[in-house]
Structures are given as structure tokens and as C-alpha cells.
Amino acid sequence: MIMKLIKYTFITVLLAGTVCSCSDMLDTKLTNEWSEDDTWTNAEKAQGVLLSVYQDVMISPDAWDGNFLDAATDNALTRNTGSSVYRAGQGAFSFSTNPLGIWSKCYNQFQQIHIFLDKGLTNDVCYSMTSEDNDRKIKQRLKGEAIFLRAWTGFQLLQMYGGKTDDGSVLGYPIVTHFVTPEESSHPENFVRNTYEECVKQIAEDCETAMSLLPLTYSGSDAILGENLFGRASGLAAAALKVRVLLYAASPAYQPDNIVRLNGMGDYTIVDQTAYQAKWERAATYAYEVLQMSGMTTYAALKPKELYDGGDAQSTEFLFRTFVGKGHAIEGRHYPPFYYGNAQTVPSHNLAAAFPAKNGFPIDDPRAGYDKENPYSCIRDNRFDVNLYYQGRKFGANDSNIDVAYGGKDSDYLNEKASRSGYYLAKFINTDLANFIKPLDQQESRHYNPMLRKAEVWYNFAEAANEAWGPKVVGPDCTMSAYDVIRTIREKSGGITDVTYLDEMAVSQESFAKLIQNERRIEFAFENQRFWDLRRRLLPLDETILGMKVTRKVDGTEVFEVVPIEERPLDNMRYYYLPLPYDEILKNSNLMNNRGWGK
């Protein structure tokens, strides 16, 4: 079957807060001496089952063999040719191979969630020794967390495996809402892929249930619902996840052939405009509803420091985030080698070129004032420096500038680990202190990975509202349009106040959609969204990865040349959808694979 009976492991380090058991607090049994009955009568052990799901869900932003998923897109590349993202970027998918596969992991998480729901909320386990009311409140919160984690896990499966089949239908994953027994597991033929829309409905319902059980945010000093619980699932996190799944459900890649027909790479025809538009209206309407919730009504730019030195306080921007750890591991993986890093993921020039000038025009527009012979003299969107280190830019607090020119300290001439693209990563890494990871002087930083941000809800509303009603049309019961949102975003995140180009792009849904796609690209760079955005919007996957070659003349002047670095042979429509696990297909003849991957 699609899952195996789990052997449970219990973690004793909790994500936030503490729990007290009604059993003997002086009991000193070793972890491996606890029986199953002990687990479901001991609050810490019972909650440990749920927290182990958090542990699996909350990953580092560069969790793909030490790389960001962007390295499998036109945003970046990796020098690690054995990594999963490199193989994904080279199209190393087959009917028997998916280097990014998460099927078994997700179904194991379902099992842990469901056994917790069955046994971790009964009268046999007590989470408060002093108050029955507190025990009830804690159980309500834990149930809400478990339901949210089921929704989150379901979306991970839908995002990875949802897709069209050869007959033109759109399928998701086999929905499971209970603990699968060994007897059920022995009959895999009883499990089929639910439709994509059925999966969306299940995830959305779980989000709604979680919202009814959880506080919108954790605030105050309350031990059960206070800010000490920040980091766990919340009502706003569930709302934002529902917005995301509705946006995916409206995207052209996930419509059956009777609504959207895929003609070729980057080419599709809307067959049923009414049905297609209705899904975008559903997404836009709910996104707007979420934007009216407390804490969501004002857009604020990302504070990059919160990614690498956020401290213990709550972030006003992060709705669901991972505490990656306190240290310098991310810096070690992505710093330039001159500063003792490995430069595993580096930005591409494709991404660099996506950032507009500060006057709002793209750099290929003459009005941007971009000079190919002096490319970094043009003042760019604020997010350019948030993401990239480039030739001549001072490297944080160090008394030196990036030098990728041939023979320069940051060039591949001097170090085989140096960037091939002429750029280095800035986002997520701490360069506020000099010699941050220098041996004997190593320092620490507190890193976070925002998996759901408030900004995403704003972007999702803008995308859906444009598709549903057009750029400047204010939809029913709304007070702002897609244009209004993007204007706010460009001003607050990019520092762009000139609306000339924005107005030019707002003449049609098609042109404004392209602008929104570019805005998403630069806002969420290295937050591992580009890989999925390319697929759900049916955008080209085979863009050649470009870099900036810098040559220094004898007189010290520099010559800049954009050069091809790496091909991405993803030129077949089947790459829009990823294959199901081969072993599962073999075991269950009822599992229909995605188009192009065979049975």
C-alpha cells in the first residue's frame, strides 16, 4: 500500500511551551522503555507524536541537499551536480524516478496525525494537572494544530503530485482522513487518486476546522494561547494556506481539458471561460476576506534581518515559519569561498535581470536607464540588494567588495567553489558582522524560514483578482483592485513610486498577469515558490541559465558580458507534472499516473 505502519519515535524537545502530565512526575523511565499505553497517558509523550510532525514539516529553506529549490529553476543554480535540485533542473524525472519525491514522508505524517487525533485527545491523557478547563483548551488547540498539519501535508502532496492525466482529467492524491490499519494497508487496490478538486475541498475544510479551533495569532502571556506558542499553527496560518490552495486550484495547469487545454510548452487554450473565471473569483473573494482579518489589513515590506537574526520575538510578517537554528550553517553553505563558504546555491543573471529600475521600468526598456557596459550603476528595486551580491558590492560588514572578475578573489579562477554566475546569495544569510564564519572567529545567528507570509495573501489576491475581474476593476464586496495591491507592493517593497510602467501594463489582463508573475518572482526568490509557480502557470521551463562574466582590462576598467552557463532540458509538457512513485504504481493498478509518465 501507499504507506507502512509507523514505528513511532517521540521527541522530548518541544517547539514551544511545556506540558505537564497527570501521571507521576518523578517517573524516570528511559524513552525506549515507554509502552504504547504509557504514551497515551503521558501528556509530554502524547504531544511528542504531534511535535514530531512539526519536526518533519518545518524544514530549512535550503533543504534540498543544502540547496534552495530555486536552483532547479531559472532563478539560480547549484554547483553540486549530485544534488536533487540539480537533477530536477536537468529533467532527471522518469516513470521510476522523482528526485524531489515526498510521497512516503507525507503519508507517514498522516499516520502520526491520525493516531494523535485518535488517542492524544482522550480523557486518558491530561495536559493540565490543575484545571479541567485548561486541559480542555489545550486539547482544543492541539486538535486544531493537528488538523492544520493534515491540511499542510495534503497540500504538499497536491503541490508535488497533482496534475493532468493522459485522458485530460486532473487528479490529486489519495485522501486519507483516518489511521490506516495494517489490514487496510494490505489492500492497496482500495485506494485511488482523488480528483484535484476533491483534494482542494478536503484541504480547505481542514483549514476552516483549524481556524475554528485556533486563535488567529498567539498573543499575550497566557500559557495556553499566548505568544510563547508563536511558531505553532494558528488561525491566520490556516487562512493563508486555504488562500494558497484556492489559487493553485484556479491555475491553468490544474484545469481539466474541458476547461483548459494544454497545447504545448507555455501554450494553452481556455475552453470554458466561465468555469475558468469562477475558480479565480473563488480564490480572489476568499483572499480578500482574509485580508480583512485582524493583522492582515496593512501591507509591509519584508525585513530581511528577520530571516537571519529575528530573535525570539514574533514577526509581524511570518504566519507559519521554521526556526532553522542558531548558528552559521546556512552561511557556511552559501557564503563566497573567500569568506569561508561553499557557495552551493547562487543566483542567476536571469533573476538579476528581473528586478526593475527604481523608476519602475524593466531593464530592457530604454527608459530604465540601464547601461550594459556598467550594469550595476542603475539604481534598482530595493529587493535587488536583498537577494544578490554582485561585482563591486561591499560584502556586508567586511572591508572588501565582491570581485568575480577573472583573477579576482571571488572568481572561479582562484577557487573551484566560486560562483559560476557572477552572483552570490544575499537573502537568508547574515553578513552584518565581519568574519562571520572565519575559523576561530565563528559567530552565530538565529535563522527562520517563513513558509507562509502575509505578503503572499496580498499577492494571491492580486493575481486572482486580475484573472477574475481585470487589473483595475474592484470586485464585488471588495474595496481594492489588483492594480491597487501591486502599486502598494511596488512602493513598499521595491521603493518604486512612479506608476508610468504600471499603468502601461494595466491595459490588459494578459500584460498585468505578466507583471504580477515577475513581482512574485522577485518577492519570493529563494523562498522555494518559483519552481511551482512556473508549473501552475504553464510558463516555459527550459530557459537557459545566464551569468555575468566580468573581465578586467590592464588599465583596470571592467567589461561585462552576459553569457550562457547551463541548459535546462525541460522541453516536454510532461515536466509540468511530476510522476507518482513507481513502487506505488506497481502495487496499485488503480493509481493513474500524470500525463506523459506511463502507467
Side-chain angles (χ1 to χ4, degrees):
M1 199 337 230
I2 53 180
M3 59 202 78
K4 297 179 179 178
L5 187 61
I6 292 177
K7 294 181 179 179
Y8 297 102
T9 58
F10 306 109
I11 59 173
T12 57
V13 179
L14 305 183
L15 294 177
T18 58
V19 294
C20 296
S21 170
C22 291
S23 62
D24 184 1
M25 295 186 68
L26 298 179
D27 194 332
T28 57
K29 290 181 182 179
L30 297 175
T31 300
N32 60 4
E33 293 177 343
W34 290 88
S35 69
E36 183 177 352
D37 289 339
D38 288 327
T39 297
W40 302 117
T41 57
N42 180 283
E44 183 174 329
K45 294 295 179 181
Q47 190 172 182
V49 175
L50 186 62
L51 296 179
S52 68
V53 179
Y54 273 111
Q55 189 178 49
D56 289 339
V57 163
M58 292 183 162
I59 61 173
S60 173
D62 58 345
W64 291 265
D65 303 315
N67 292 279
F68 294 83
L69 187 57
D70 286 51
T73 75
D74 51 1
N75 273 2
L77 67 159
T78 174
R79 63 173 182 79
N80 183 357
T81 57
S83 66
S84 57
V85 292
Y86 179 80
R87 289 181 284 128
Q90 293 300 309
F93 299 95
S94 71
F95 70 93
S96 61
T97 304
N98 179 353
L100 306 176
I102 56 170
W103 186 280
S104 295
K105 174 184 175 181
C106 287
Y107 279 102
N108 282 338
Q109 289 169 1
F110 279 150
Q111 289 287 75
Q112 290 172 284
I113 291 165
H114 291 140
I115 199 169
F116 177 80
L117 288 171
D118 288 344
K119 297 188 176 184
L121 303 174
T122 70
N123 291 332
D124 292 333
V125 56
C126 175
Y127 294 94
S128 174
M129 297 175 60
T130 59
S131 169
E132 289 186 6
D133 187 53
N134 284 345
D135 181 64
R136 178 190 60 78
K137 290 179 179 177
I138 293 171
K139 285 176 178 174
Q140 174 177 307
R141 191 199 73 220
L142 291 175
K143 181 178 179 181
E145 292 179 55
I147 296 296
F148 171 84
L149 290 171
R150 185 169 72 184
W152 180 268
T153 302
F155 177 74
Q156 301 310 303
L157 282 168
L158 188 64
Q159 182 177 244
M160 178 69 67
Y161 299 105
K164 281 194 176 186
T165 60
D166 287 332
D167 66 1
S169 59
V170 185
L171 302 181
Y173 59 93
I175 295 174
V176 177
T177 57
H178 67 277
F179 182 83
V180 178
T181 66
E183 292 76 16
E184 290 176 293
S185 183
S186 66
H187 292 283
E189 69 278 2
N190 292 333
F191 293 84
V192 298
R193 292 177 70 187
N194 288 82
T195 67
Y196 195 96
E197 189 60 30
E198 287 170 343
C199 293
V200 168
K201 183 174 183 292
Q202 177 63 50
I203 296 168
E205 288 177 352
D206 278 347
C207 288
E208 290 289 343
T209 301
M211 289 174 63
S212 72
L213 297 170
L214 295 169
L216 279 182
T217 58
Y218 294 99
S219 61
S221 58
D222 183 81
I224 300 172
L225 300 175
E227 60 187 16
N228 63 307
L229 275 297
F230 177 62
R232 297 192 185 217
S234 68
L236 279 183
L241 178 58
K242 181 178 173 181
V243 174
R244 183 187 286 183
V245 74
L246 293 181
L247 185 83
Y248 273 62
S251 300
Y254 305 122
Q255 309 308 316
D257 279 359
N258 64 337
I259 298 179
V260 174
R261 184 177 66 248
L262 180 55
N263 305 318
M265 295 297 288
D267 180 22
Y268 62 91
T269 301
I270 300 173
V271 178
D272 187 337
Q273 182 65 47
T274 300
Y276 183 65
Q277 185 174 339
K279 292 191 177 183
W280 286 112
E281 289 178 353
R282 177 178 65 173
T285 300
Y286 185 70
Y288 183 79
E289 180 181 327
V290 174
L291 290 177
Q292 306 315 300
M293 295 180 179
S294 177
M296 296 295 295
T297 56
T298 303
Y299 182 88
L302 173 71
K303 298 176 182 178
K305 192 177 178 67
E306 290 188 334
L307 298 174
Y308 60 77
D309 198 17
D312 296 326
Q314 291 195 41
S315 165
T316 58
E317 169 66 5
F318 303 163
L319 299 178
F320 189 51
R321 61 95 177 99
T322 306
F323 169 47
V324 179
K326 190 173 183 180
H328 50 257
I330 290 181
E331 286 78 13
R333 289 191 288 270
H334 306 294
Y335 259 33
F338 180 82
Y339 303 96
Y340 308 101
N342 289 319
Q344 290 190 176
T345 294
V346 294
S348 66
H349 181 70
N350 310 60
L351 175 62
F355 292 89
K358 202 62 169 286
N359 63 8
F361 291 99
I363 63 171
D364 60 359
D365 188 309
R367 292 172 291 179
Y370 179 79
D371 182 359
K372 293 182 179 180
E373 295 183 359
N374 191 10
Y376 307 122
S377 63
C378 176
I379 301 176
R380 306 284 280 278
D381 182 300
N382 292 343
R383 291 165 288 187
F384 188 67
D385 279 2
V386 170
N387 286 276
L388 310 170
Y389 276 104
Y390 45 85
Q391 178 68 8
R393 183 184 175 189
K394 189 173 181 291
F395 190 71
N398 291 271
D399 294 325
S400 55
N401 298 338
I402 293 294
D403 186 2
V404 297
Y406 182 78
K409 65 179 180 58
D410 301 304
S411 69
D412 55 9
Y413 171 80
L414 289 186
N415 196 306
E416 63 179 5
K417 294 181 179 179
S419 172
R420 290 183 291 151
S421 70
Y423 296 94
Y424 286 97
L425 181 67
K427 198 170 186 178
F428 283 100
I429 64 173
N430 188 346
T431 58
D432 288 350
L433 302 172
N435 302 317
F436 189 72
I437 59 173
K438 182 179 179 180
L440 303 182
D441 295 330
Q442 290 176 340
Q443 300 163 77
E444 293 186 339
S445 189
R446 191 175 179 88
H447 295 85
Y448 289 98
N449 175 23
M451 297 183 290
L452 286 169
R453 286 173 49 195
K454 291 181 181 179
E456 186 188 338
V457 182
W458 286 79
Y459 276 88
N460 291 350
F461 170 76
E463 180 179 346
N466 178 60
E467 298 288 347
W469 306 306
K472 291 191 173 183
V473 177
V474 176
D477 300 319
C478 296
T479 60
M480 57 186 178
S481 66
Y483 175 93
D484 297 329
V485 170
I486 297 302
R487 178 176 180 171
T488 298
I489 288 171
R490 281 164 69 89
E491 179 177 347
K492 293 190 175 183
S493 288
I496 298 171
T497 57
D498 190 321
V499 299
T500 305
Y501 181 72
L502 187 67
D503 288 338
E504 291 175 2
M505 296 300 284
V507 298
S508 72
Q509 283 180 307
E510 292 74 17
S511 58
F512 206 68
K514 291 180 180 179
L515 176 62
I516 293 172
Q517 289 160 16
N518 193 71
E519 285 291 322
R520 285 185 67 94
R521 179 181 189 177
I522 61 180
E523 178 69 35
F524 300 111
F526 303 104
E527 294 182 41
N528 304 310
Q529 295 214 39
R530 178 69 173 171
F531 184 89
W532 307 111
D533 282 348
L534 288 171
R535 284 160 173 78
R536 69 179 181 83
R537 295 291 322 203
L538 297 173
L539 299 173
L541 304 177
D542 59 350
E543 296 289 331
T544 298
I545 305 304
L546 305 175
M548 180 67 80
K549 179 182 178 182
V550 184
T551 305
R552 187 177 294 108
K553 293 182 178 181
V554 176
D555 62 2
T557 59
E558 295 174 342
V559 177
F560 296 87
E561 180 186 3
V562 177
V563 296
I565 299 175
E566 186 173 287
E567 297 298 324
R568 293 289 167 81
L570 300 165
D571 56 357
N572 190 296
M573 289 188 292
R574 68 178 183 171
Y575 292 117
Y576 285 128
Y577 313 107
L578 305 186
L580 271 63
Y582 180 61
D583 289 347
E584 303 300 332
I585 295 289
L586 286 181
K587 288 185 288 187
N588 185 356
S589 60
N590 290 327
L591 287 183
M592 187 180 298
N593 214 335
N594 287 329
R595 66 176 296 171
W597 297 113
K599 181 57 184 172

